[in-house]
Amino acid sequence: MFYNFKTEYNFIKSYAKINDIVALAKEEKLPAIGICDYQTTMGINKFYHTCIKEGIKPICGVEYTINEQNYLFYAKNYQGIIRLNELTSNFLQTGKYNFKDYEQDLIIVLGRGSLVKELFKSTQKELISKIKTTFSSVFFGVYNNLNDPQNIKAYSIAKENDIETLLINSIRLLKKEDQDILITLNAIANKTTYLQEKKMRIKIKNETLNLNYQLSKQELLMMNKFVDLIEIEFPKKKLLPPKYPFVPEKITSKEYLAALSKTGLNKRLNTEVPNIYKTRLNYELKIINQMGYEDYFLIMWDIIKFSKKSNIYVGPGRGSAAGSLVAYSLGITELNPIENGLIFERFLNPERISMPDIDVDFEDIYRNDIVDYIIKRFGQDKVCKIATISRFHAKSTFRDVAKVWKIEPNLIELVAKQLDAKITFLDNVKSNPKIQSELIKNQQLKIVLDIVNKIEGLPRQTSIHAAGVIISQEPIVTYTTINYEHVAL
């Protein structure tokens, strides 16, 4: 059977962690497992690779709400993954979707909402026909709630219009005994209390994994048909920088880098270049070219040249990059590595295959000017800032959980002051006699501490990295979703 999960990347809305989902699939010997997070592709890369490692077929989707109608879109293949990134990026930036006339790489599943209600009123052949001509594969979503009259109607309409049906429960919880954790997370998200949230959560049964549910022959047939439509294979890609797009005609990036380096070194040394410099420069260029990083140096030279021409202060260079004569010749660094006895191999070494790391300090008040230049220079679709993920940490998590569980404020402060942010919450409890003493007195506090221990480390929200910028050879959506302000998730 194929199960469909909302993961921890639906921040504070799910307690189904990707590692646990795949581990469960392996334990239950499931051939395929799926995720369909709401309006985000953030978990897809991790989910895919975790599944492949365990020999499990990954089913990757995204759920959207469009005009009060719920849709689930699944990728048939790798191109479908890219389409999900494109659709999600477009929605997050503009609030709209950019569907093609024919989406051959996506499966659409109609959930509940305004469109389905219209279909329930009468079998609108024209509306169904439009959906079927836009998407190569169409399913009606149904829920494994046998008392739901909408399922009976959905089966009927699907049969009349030659549309398949598919179970689409959004599972947010793997174990029934962890319901308090999910309710607590939702209470934090909705700024309610645990008791208020518990009363509102009438659909909790449909959000909890039910391994005992027995599929009918028809349900199993449709499930297998759906899974057989999907075959995702991520290409194996080598980590290399993008090509520098402004190399003069009739020469290569290697030749351009060599010419710029030699010109720059002549300028640095007033045209009197000793052999030791020539030998070192040629050696460095050979290693850089051998490892495929000539375009990286050209890109860094371009950005730093812009900054200096714009009278934006640039640091002299630090870290291992200061050991490169090529970097010094290009004006990327300001320290002469030969005069200062700095070693190039600490920066770049063919025996240690890793990206070179040129640490550059720019005048912070002009940081956005530099980013804007990079975007215009290298392409709006190929440049973005980096999103960072904030996670639940011991002290703030304890305060949040204790608050929704209505723990006395004085007790919250007493325990919070005992917590050391440098160690895990569990280690805090084990090593602190005062916290242990309060646990003996207060059973509810014990429940709270158990929940805090379990949700510590879960992703909570995203923010923008202070200075990290990605420049890609291919459009960013080839790899991930872009959020507002050119931020890659």
Side-chain angles (χ1 to χ4, degrees):
M1 180 178 175
F2 153 70
Y3 294 96
N4 194 50
F5 289 89
K6 293 284 185 289
T7 78
E8 71 262 39
Y9 291 98
N10 274 147
F11 300 146
I12 329 182
K13 297 288 187 180
S14 173
Y15 188 60
K17 295 181 278 189
I18 286 174
N19 288 341
D20 293 343
I21 293 168
V22 178
L24 171 115
K26 185 178 181 182
E27 182 181 338
E28 295 294 326
K29 298 181 180 178
L30 301 176
I33 199 82
I35 63 171
C36 192
D37 285 331
Y38 188 71
Q39 293 182 347
T40 180
T41 62
M42 195 178 293
I44 285 179
N45 196 287
K46 178 181 178 180
F47 175 72
Y48 169 84
H49 287 99
T50 307
C51 282
I52 294 301
K53 184 179 178 182
E54 299 297 344
I56 297 165
K57 187 174 189 175
I59 311 295
C60 304
V62 179
E63 182 179 348
Y64 305 110
T65 301
I66 308 171
N67 298 327
E68 299 182 353
Q69 171 59 43
N70 201 240
Y71 298 92
L72 290 79
F73 295 99
Y74 292 91
K76 283 186 172 183
N77 45 41
Y78 181 64
Q79 287 304 312
I81 297 291
I82 295 174
R83 280 301 292 143
L84 291 178
N85 288 335
E86 290 172 345
L87 289 171
T88 307
S89 298
N90 195 260
F91 171 77
L92 292 174
Q93 294 176 77
T94 68
K96 299 177 182 178
Y97 298 89
N98 57 338
F99 293 112
K100 298 177 181 177
D101 291 336
Y102 184 62
E103 294 284 1
Q104 64 179 8
D105 300 310
L106 296 178
I107 301 169
I108 183 173
V109 181
L110 302 176
R112 290 181 177 165
S114 58
L115 184 145
V116 170
K117 286 179 181 177
E118 287 300 313
L119 295 178
F120 281 5
K121 291 177 184 177
S122 62
T123 54
Q124 297 185 29
K125 300 285 185 182
E126 185 178 334
L127 183 56
I128 292 176
S129 177
K130 183 178 179 181
I131 295 169
K132 290 174 71 175
T133 54
T134 303
F135 295 90
S136 59
S137 302
V138 182
F139 287 78
F140 255 111
V142 296
Y143 301 80
N144 63 347
N145 183 344
L146 300 179
N147 298 319
D148 191 341
Q150 288 203 11
N151 280 353
I152 299 171
K153 187 68 174 175
Y155 282 123
S156 174
I157 294 175
K159 188 174 181 180
E160 289 173 12
N161 293 278
D162 193 28
I163 297 176
E164 314 291 4
T165 56
L166 181 71
L167 290 173
I168 58 168
N169 283 0
S170 295
I171 304 168
R172 302 169 188 268
L173 193 64
L174 274 70
K175 298 177 182 177
K176 188 176 180 180
E177 56 266 33
D178 288 333
Q179 284 187 6
D180 282 348
I181 300 173
L182 181 58
I183 294 171
T184 299
L185 285 169
N186 293 159
I188 293 170
N190 298 328
K191 295 182 170 56
T192 58
T193 67
Y194 168 82
L195 290 177
Q196 288 172 328
E197 195 66 32
K198 188 174 183 179
K199 289 177 182 177
M200 292 188 289
R201 301 197 63 74
I202 58 175
K203 294 183 179 179
I204 193 72
K205 291 181 181 178
N206 285 335
E207 294 179 331
T208 305
L209 178 63
N210 180 8
L211 289 169
N212 297 319
Y213 180 76
Q214 296 297 315
L215 289 173
S216 67
K217 288 184 179 180
Q218 181 66 14
E219 287 172 331
L220 184 59
L221 181 65
M222 291 304 100
M223 192 73 74
N224 290 335
K225 189 168 185 176
F226 169 79
V227 172
D228 288 345
L229 288 170
I230 295 168
E231 204 61 57
I232 302 169
E233 184 177 356
F234 279 38
K236 292 180 181 178
K237 295 186 177 180
K238 190 177 179 182
L239 187 63
L240 285 174
K243 297 293 181 184
Y244 182 67
F246 306 106
V247 176
E249 291 183 10
K250 298 182 180 180
I251 65 170
T252 65
S253 294
K254 294 176 182 178
E255 292 167 336
Y256 192 39
L257 178 64
L260 289 172
S261 299
K262 290 171 183 176
T263 300
L265 187 59
N266 278 328
K267 188 175 180 181
R268 289 279 197 190
L269 301 178
N270 295 319
T271 71
E272 296 180 7
V273 183
N275 285 333
I276 188 174
Y277 282 87
K278 293 177 181 178
T279 302
R280 172 75 170 260
L281 189 71
N282 288 332
Y283 166 73
E284 288 191 15
L285 287 169
K286 179 183 175 182
I287 298 300
I288 291 167
N289 295 338
Q290 178 184 321
M291 298 184 72
Y293 295 131
E294 59 275 7
D295 291 286
Y296 176 68
F297 276 83
L298 291 172
I299 290 168
M300 294 303 297
W301 161 76
D302 186 303
I303 295 167
I304 289 170
K305 183 179 70 168
F306 161 78
S307 301
K308 290 179 176 179
K309 282 188 174 181
S310 303
N311 295 317
I312 297 171
Y313 290 125
V314 181
R318 54 187 170 87
S320 61
S324 170
L325 184 63
V326 170
Y328 174 68
S329 301
L330 293 174
I332 293 172
T333 60
E334 294 298 328
L335 297 171
N336 185 321
I338 292 180
E339 282 185 357
N340 290 279
L342 302 176
I343 302 171
F344 174 71
E345 285 76 11
R346 287 187 61 190
F347 170 62
L348 202 57
N349 188 332
E351 294 181 5
R352 189 185 69 233
I353 305 300
S354 60
M355 282 284 292
D357 182 16
I358 299 176
D359 292 319
V360 184
D361 295 303
F362 295 103
E363 196 173 359
D364 58 355
I365 59 173
Y366 296 110
R367 180 185 296 136
N368 288 336
D369 292 349
I370 296 168
V371 173
D372 288 343
Y373 170 76
I374 295 172
I375 290 171
K376 291 173 184 175
R377 184 73 164 156
F378 298 102
Q380 186 169 333
D381 61 332
K382 297 176 182 177
V383 177
C384 65
K385 299 176 186 176
I386 300 171
T388 58
I389 296 177
S390 302
R391 297 183 178 272
F392 280 96
H393 295 295
K395 189 171 289 192
S396 60
T397 304
F398 169 72
R399 288 184 184 277
D400 287 336
V401 175
K403 185 178 178 181
V404 302
W405 275 78
K406 303 292 284 184
I407 298 294
E408 289 292 329
N410 289 341
L411 181 55
I412 294 176
E413 287 304 311
L414 187 150
V415 174
K417 287 178 181 178
Q418 300 297 319
L419 297 176
D420 182 352
K422 296 179 182 178
I423 60 176
T424 67
F425 188 78
L426 184 59
D427 287 340
N428 267 292
V429 174
K430 286 180 178 179
S431 63
N432 195 303
K434 287 187 179 181
I435 296 178
Q436 293 170 15
S437 174
E438 292 301 327
L439 282 174
I440 296 171
K441 301 177 194 175
N442 193 318
Q443 182 62 30
Q444 195 174 26
L445 180 62
K446 187 175 180 180
I447 296 172
V448 166
L449 296 186
D450 182 58
I451 291 173
V452 173
N453 179 50
K454 289 181 177 178
I455 69 175
E456 183 182 18
L458 282 179
R460 181 165 189 163
Q461 62 189 20
T462 60
S463 55
I464 303 174
H465 191 283
V469 175
I470 294 171
I471 305 173
S472 172
Q473 178 67 26
E474 301 173 66
I476 300 294
V477 291
T478 305
Y479 307 101
T480 188
T481 296
I482 301 177
N483 200 345
Y484 56 92
E485 295 183 4
H486 302 287
V487 180
L489 296 175

